[in-house]
Amino acid sequence: MQKNMLFRMKDVASGYGKVPVLHGIDLEVFENEIVGILGHNGMGKTTLLKAAMGFLPTKSGTIEYTKTDITKYSTNARARLGIGYVPQGRGIFPQLTVRENLRFAYRNTGRGSEADTIGQVLSDFPRLERLLEREGGALSGGEQQLLALARCLMQSPGFLLLDEPTEGIQPSIIDEIADTLISQRKRRGFGILLVEQNFDFIADLSDRVLVLERGKITGSLSRDELSDTEKVDSFLGFGAARSTRATPDLDDNVENEILGNS
């Protein structure tokens, strides 16, 4: 049975101001598919997700979601269409409680009240239920990541953009995140574009993995090929399959400089 196209980037170039980062990105994600993006630090992975979500302008090329050209759409318009984004660093509100973080994300789409939506999301994230009145900043890194995912799902997205969801998280919660994403995809049927450097995590979840080098997609590996260690190591070559985060991404350095956060 042929799957429908969910999301497409066609010949997309983007970057920060006059600093080019992405050079002719071509990728597709089908309904109910998880596509991983693997690459060294500074290759443009975070920039790719920011361009997909509309935080960065598309300087050339087109972006489509459910066959609609969203290249010129704002970030808010993309979110209203059903694209969810969990940024690197989680992006929760540290001074708000877990409940308040979830309430902030609620949008009345006619599918249920705020209380009903929170209740449904908490049924999928039972660890958060006992933490509802705790401030986000008091949570562990893994709990914050679960909150970021739960908050994203408050709007029932059809497509998720996930940036380094396992960064700095203990193994037990990494397994919990993987199980949650697998079960949620099965139940909700959404697609996922996943940027990650934890190779085991990305290999366990992804139907395909794309390799990003210097702002370009240089190849892909199928799910079956991901279990062939020799083929993975030979294909990746530059060692991305075994890389660890040692230095910040180019994306982060450029963004910090622009925003004055360095």
Side-chain angles (χ1 to χ4, degrees):
M1 182 176 178
Q2 186 175 5
K3 291 185 178 181
N4 294 322
M5 182 73 65
L6 182 64
F7 181 81
R8 172 185 285 163
M9 300 178 80
K10 180 67 174 176
D11 198 28
V12 169
S14 187
Y16 300 89
K18 295 182 179 180
V19 181
V21 178
L22 304 179
H23 311 281
I25 293 293
D26 288 305
L27 65 83
E28 300 170 341
V29 181
F30 292 88
E31 289 180 347
N32 200 31
E33 182 183 36
I34 299 179
V35 175
I37 304 288
L38 193 64
H40 266 328
N41 293 333
M43 293 297 161
K45 303 184 302 298
T46 292
T47 300
L48 191 154
L49 293 191
K50 289 181 177 179
M53 195 64 208
F55 289 110
L56 293 174
T58 299
K59 297 182 178 181
S60 64
T62 58
I63 301 177
E64 297 178 13
Y65 176 63
T66 59
K67 299 182 180 180
T68 298
D69 187 339
I70 63 170
T71 309
K72 301 298 183 182
Y73 281 33
S74 67
T75 298
N76 287 340
R78 297 182 198 204
R80 287 194 295 270
L81 279 180
I83 301 178
Y85 175 62
V86 179
Q88 184 180 10
R90 295 133 202 170
I92 65 165
F93 298 106
Q95 294 181 325
L96 298 184
T97 66
V98 169
R99 187 191 302 276
E100 289 167 339
N101 268 275
L102 295 176
R103 290 189 65 192
F104 185 86
Y106 174 73
R107 179 165 54 89
N108 188 355
T109 60
R111 298 176 182 174
S113 67
E114 179 183 284
D116 288 341
T117 304
I118 290 176
Q120 179 60 60
V121 166
L122 288 176
S123 70
D124 298 319
F125 293 84
R127 185 187 291 264
L128 295 178
E129 194 158 8
R130 60 181 174 80
L131 301 172
L132 277 174
E133 307 310 323
R134 187 173 299 182
E135 290 185 353
L139 304 179
S140 71
E143 290 165 345
Q144 289 183 5
Q145 187 65 66
L146 289 172
L147 174 57
L149 286 170
R151 188 180 62 178
C152 181
L153 295 180
M154 282 288 295
Q155 297 191 26
S156 299
F159 181 52
L160 299 183
L161 303 169
L162 304 182
D163 195 355
E164 302 278 9
T166 72
E167 182 185 6
I169 295 177
Q170 59 268 42
S172 62
I173 295 192
I174 289 177
D175 292 341
E176 188 173 337
I177 290 171
D179 291 342
T180 299
L181 288 174
I182 290 170
S183 65
Q184 287 298 298
R185 177 177 72 154
K186 185 179 296 185
R187 188 166 69 82
R188 297 172 183 254
F190 49 56
I192 300 174
L193 187 59
L194 168 66
V195 161
E196 183 55 68
Q197 290 202 65
N198 182 326
F199 182 75
D200 289 337
F201 182 85
I202 204 170
D204 286 346
L205 265 68
S206 301
D207 299 298
R208 292 182 290 125
V209 169
L210 307 178
V211 179
L212 186 67
E213 291 187 84
R214 300 187 182 278
K216 294 183 178 181
I217 302 293
T218 59
S220 66
L221 288 166
S222 69
R223 185 169 186 81
D224 289 340
E225 290 171 328
L226 288 169
S227 61
D228 186 335
T229 304
E230 289 187 8
K231 187 161 190 174
V232 169
D233 287 342
S234 174
F235 180 80
L236 295 177
F238 55 90
R242 303 292 179 259
S243 69
T244 57
R245 178 172 292 275
T247 57
D249 277 358
L250 169 64
D251 317 78
D252 300 329
N253 290 337
V254 172
E255 185 180 31
N256 285 337
E257 183 177 340
I258 291 172
L259 298 178
N261 296 328
S262 57

